[in-house]
Amino acid sequence: MQNRDFNMWLSGFRDSIADYGYYIDFEKVHRNVDNIKIELNILNSLIGSKNIEADFENLMRKYPEVLKCIPLLLAVRANEIYCQDENGGHLFQFDSGKYPLNSHTHYERYKYFMRETGLFDLLKNHIVNNLIDYATGVETGLDSNGRKNRGGHLMEDLVENFIQKAGFVKGVNYFKEMYIHQITDKWHIDLSAISNQGKMEKRFDFVIKTPTMIYGIETNFYGSGGSKLNETARSYKTLVWETEKINGFTFVWFTDGKGWTSAKNNLEETFDVMQHIYNIKDLEDDIISEVFK
């Protein structure tokens, strides 16, 4: 079904499609820090303190809301932190509204937490000079964990850009994230042949509607290898066979990424039976205008 050479096609796969916003979402970083800026400024008064435990207790009594920014100082996104020591397990809660401080024991517990985690040392020994700057650094580090999610959308965004360049209009003749039942309801086409291998209902990343055809589109990019690639290639191979039986519907797959090198054989099997499988180079060569008619 393919006139193209698989190895030549695969050789054009990219190492990365990261854009400038992929690495750190600084708007989110600054927004998160701004949400606790007042509390961080209050805690700044502890830097260099000669009597930090008493000073911290006074802050807790007067400004109990300072507790909510403690987890971030440990690079934790939670308002509950569990710690284990020789005395057993302890759950520390840092939502002062939900868990109000109401006893001497409470204050002692949080001082114990600050002491044992090293946060008192961080503050009293001037290891940091400003908690807002410190929190910004921590948030930046935590946000790097979001790259996987941002990366997942990069290929979708790239493909959508080419769809729009080809003249398709969102909500008119191309649609994003459509489930099988939505396609069926909108155009009265029987897609019951798509089993999705017993998993939850199939959803296509994009659907393009032309006067003669409905195109269900999947997009992905794999910068590194893994078992998921083999599973993806196999499932899409099945999808090709299932959709071949459906008049008026065509399955199209846009994929790329050097990660496919480790799953080359499975990808080639799918390539051999799939007419409409394309990479970024194909997109740049205006394959959308050529195929979607």
Side-chain angles (χ1 to χ4, degrees), residues 6 9 11 32 52-53 130 134 152 175-176 191 198 202 228 241 268:
F6 173 75
W9 180 71
S11 70
N32 288 349
I52 195 164
E53 299 207 10
N130 186 302
Y134 173 84
F175 306 83
K176 194 168 183 179
L191 299 178
K202 176 68 184 168
K228 181 171 174 57
W241 290 333
E268 185 171 11

Short mmCIF file of all heavy atoms in Angstrom, two decimals, residues 6 9 11 32 52-53 130 134 152 175-176 191 198 202 228 241 268:
data_model
loop_
_atom_site.label_atom_id
_atom_site.label_comp_id
_atom_site.label_asym_id
_atom_site.label_seq_id
_atom_site.Cartn_x
_atom_site.Cartn_y
_atom_site.Cartn_z
N PHE A 6 10.45 2.77 3.77
CA PHE A 6 10.29 2.97 5.21
C PHE A 6 11.54 3.56 5.86
O PHE A 6 11.47 4.51 6.65
CB PHE A 6 9.91 1.65 5.90
CG PHE A 6 9.89 1.76 7.40
CD1 PHE A 6 8.85 2.40 8.06
CD2 PHE A 6 10.95 1.26 8.17
CE1 PHE A 6 8.84 2.52 9.46
CE2 PHE A 6 10.95 1.37 9.55
CZ PHE A 6 9.89 2.01 10.19
N TRP A 9 12.02 7.14 5.11
CA TRP A 9 11.00 7.91 5.84
C TRP A 9 11.39 8.04 7.32
O TRP A 9 11.35 9.13 7.88
CB TRP A 9 9.66 7.19 5.69
CG TRP A 9 8.50 7.85 6.37
CD1 TRP A 9 7.87 9.00 6.01
CD2 TRP A 9 7.78 7.35 7.51
NE1 TRP A 9 6.83 9.28 6.86
CE2 TRP A 9 6.75 8.26 7.79
CE3 TRP A 9 7.92 6.22 8.32
CZ2 TRP A 9 5.86 8.09 8.84
CZ3 TRP A 9 7.04 6.04 9.36
CH2 TRP A 9 6.01 6.96 9.63
N SER A 11 14.32 7.89 8.62
CA SER A 11 15.56 8.67 8.80
C SER A 11 15.28 10.16 8.94
O SER A 11 16.12 10.92 9.43
CB SER A 11 16.52 8.42 7.63
OG SER A 11 16.02 9.00 6.44
N ASN A 32 2.20 31.16 40.86
CA ASN A 32 2.19 30.33 42.07
C ASN A 32 2.91 31.01 43.23
O ASN A 32 2.46 30.91 44.39
CB ASN A 32 2.84 28.98 41.78
CG ASN A 32 1.97 28.08 40.92
OD1 ASN A 32 0.80 28.37 40.69
ND2 ASN A 32 2.53 27.00 40.41
N ILE A 52 15.16 31.09 66.62
CA ILE A 52 14.23 30.80 65.52
C ILE A 52 13.01 30.00 65.94
O ILE A 52 11.91 30.22 65.43
CB ILE A 52 14.97 30.11 64.36
CG1 ILE A 52 14.11 30.18 63.10
CG2 ILE A 52 15.38 28.68 64.71
CD1 ILE A 52 14.85 29.89 61.82
N GLU A 53 13.15 29.10 66.91
CA GLU A 53 12.00 28.28 67.28
C GLU A 53 10.93 29.13 67.96
O GLU A 53 9.74 29.01 67.65
CB GLU A 53 12.44 27.12 68.17
CG GLU A 53 13.42 26.19 67.46
CD GLU A 53 13.39 24.76 67.99
OE1 GLU A 53 12.48 24.43 68.77
OE2 GLU A 53 14.26 23.96 67.59
N ASN A 130 16.40 35.31 50.75
CA ASN A 130 15.06 35.81 50.44
C ASN A 130 14.20 34.62 50.00
O ASN A 130 14.52 33.95 49.01
CB ASN A 130 15.14 36.85 49.32
CG ASN A 130 13.80 37.49 49.05
OD1 ASN A 130 12.83 36.81 48.73
ND2 ASN A 130 13.74 38.81 49.17
N TYR A 134 13.93 32.15 46.62
CA TYR A 134 14.10 30.71 46.82
C TYR A 134 12.88 29.95 46.28
O TYR A 134 13.02 28.96 45.56
CB TYR A 134 14.28 30.43 48.32
CG TYR A 134 14.30 28.96 48.70
CD1 TYR A 134 15.46 28.21 48.61
CD2 TYR A 134 13.14 28.33 49.17
CE1 TYR A 134 15.49 26.86 48.97
CE2 TYR A 134 13.14 27.00 49.53
CZ TYR A 134 14.32 26.26 49.43
OH TYR A 134 14.33 24.94 49.77
N GLY A 152 3.37 16.43 25.34
CA GLY A 152 2.28 15.68 24.74
C GLY A 152 1.41 16.52 23.83
O GLY A 152 0.77 16.00 22.91
N PHE A 175 -12.30 19.43 13.60
CA PHE A 175 -12.75 19.39 14.99
C PHE A 175 -11.68 18.72 15.84
O PHE A 175 -10.97 17.83 15.38
CB PHE A 175 -14.08 18.63 15.10
CG PHE A 175 -15.14 19.18 14.19
CD1 PHE A 175 -15.20 18.78 12.86
CD2 PHE A 175 -16.05 20.10 14.65
CE1 PHE A 175 -16.16 19.29 12.00
CE2 PHE A 175 -17.03 20.63 13.81
CZ PHE A 175 -17.07 20.23 12.48
N LYS A 176 -11.56 19.18 17.06
CA LYS A 176 -10.51 18.67 17.95
C LYS A 176 -11.14 17.76 19.00
O LYS A 176 -12.19 18.06 19.57
CB LYS A 176 -9.79 19.84 18.61
CG LYS A 176 -8.48 19.46 19.29
CD LYS A 176 -7.67 20.70 19.66
CE LYS A 176 -6.33 20.28 20.26
NZ LYS A 176 -5.50 21.44 20.62
N LEU A 191 -19.67 3.66 13.01
CA LEU A 191 -18.27 3.40 13.37
C LEU A 191 -18.15 2.24 14.36
O LEU A 191 -17.17 2.13 15.07
CB LEU A 191 -17.63 4.66 13.96
CG LEU A 191 -17.57 5.90 13.05
CD1 LEU A 191 -16.96 7.09 13.79
CD2 LEU A 191 -16.77 5.60 11.78
N GLY A 198 -11.32 -3.19 23.20
CA GLY A 198 -11.96 -3.38 24.49
C GLY A 198 -11.73 -2.29 25.50
O GLY A 198 -12.23 -2.35 26.63
N LYS A 202 -13.10 5.15 21.86
CA LYS A 202 -12.03 5.79 21.10
C LYS A 202 -12.29 7.27 20.92
O LYS A 202 -13.40 7.68 20.61
CB LYS A 202 -11.88 5.10 19.74
CG LYS A 202 -10.87 5.73 18.81
CD LYS A 202 -9.46 5.57 19.31
CE LYS A 202 -8.46 6.28 18.44
NZ LYS A 202 -7.14 6.34 19.10
N LYS A 228 5.53 1.57 25.36
CA LYS A 228 4.30 2.22 24.86
C LYS A 228 4.32 2.35 23.34
O LYS A 228 3.28 2.27 22.69
CB LYS A 228 4.13 3.59 25.50
CG LYS A 228 2.87 4.32 25.05
CD LYS A 228 2.64 5.56 25.87
CE LYS A 228 1.46 6.36 25.32
NZ LYS A 228 0.22 5.59 25.25
N TRP A 241 -7.07 -1.84 10.06
CA TRP A 241 -7.90 -2.95 9.57
C TRP A 241 -9.39 -2.70 9.83
O TRP A 241 -10.23 -2.98 8.99
CB TRP A 241 -7.47 -4.26 10.24
CG TRP A 241 -6.12 -4.75 9.78
CD1 TRP A 241 -5.53 -4.51 8.57
CD2 TRP A 241 -5.21 -5.57 10.52
NE1 TRP A 241 -4.30 -5.12 8.51
CE2 TRP A 241 -4.07 -5.78 9.70
CE3 TRP A 241 -5.23 -6.14 11.79
CZ2 TRP A 241 -2.98 -6.53 10.11
CZ3 TRP A 241 -4.15 -6.90 12.20
CH2 TRP A 241 -3.03 -7.09 11.36
N GLU A 268 7.28 -0.33 11.37
CA GLU A 268 7.35 -0.72 9.95
C GLU A 268 6.18 -1.62 9.57
O GLU A 268 5.62 -1.52 8.46
CB GLU A 268 8.67 -1.42 9.65
CG GLU A 268 8.86 -1.74 8.18
CD GLU A 268 10.26 -2.23 7.83
OE1 GLU A 268 11.04 -2.53 8.77
OE2 GLU A 268 10.56 -2.30 6.63
#
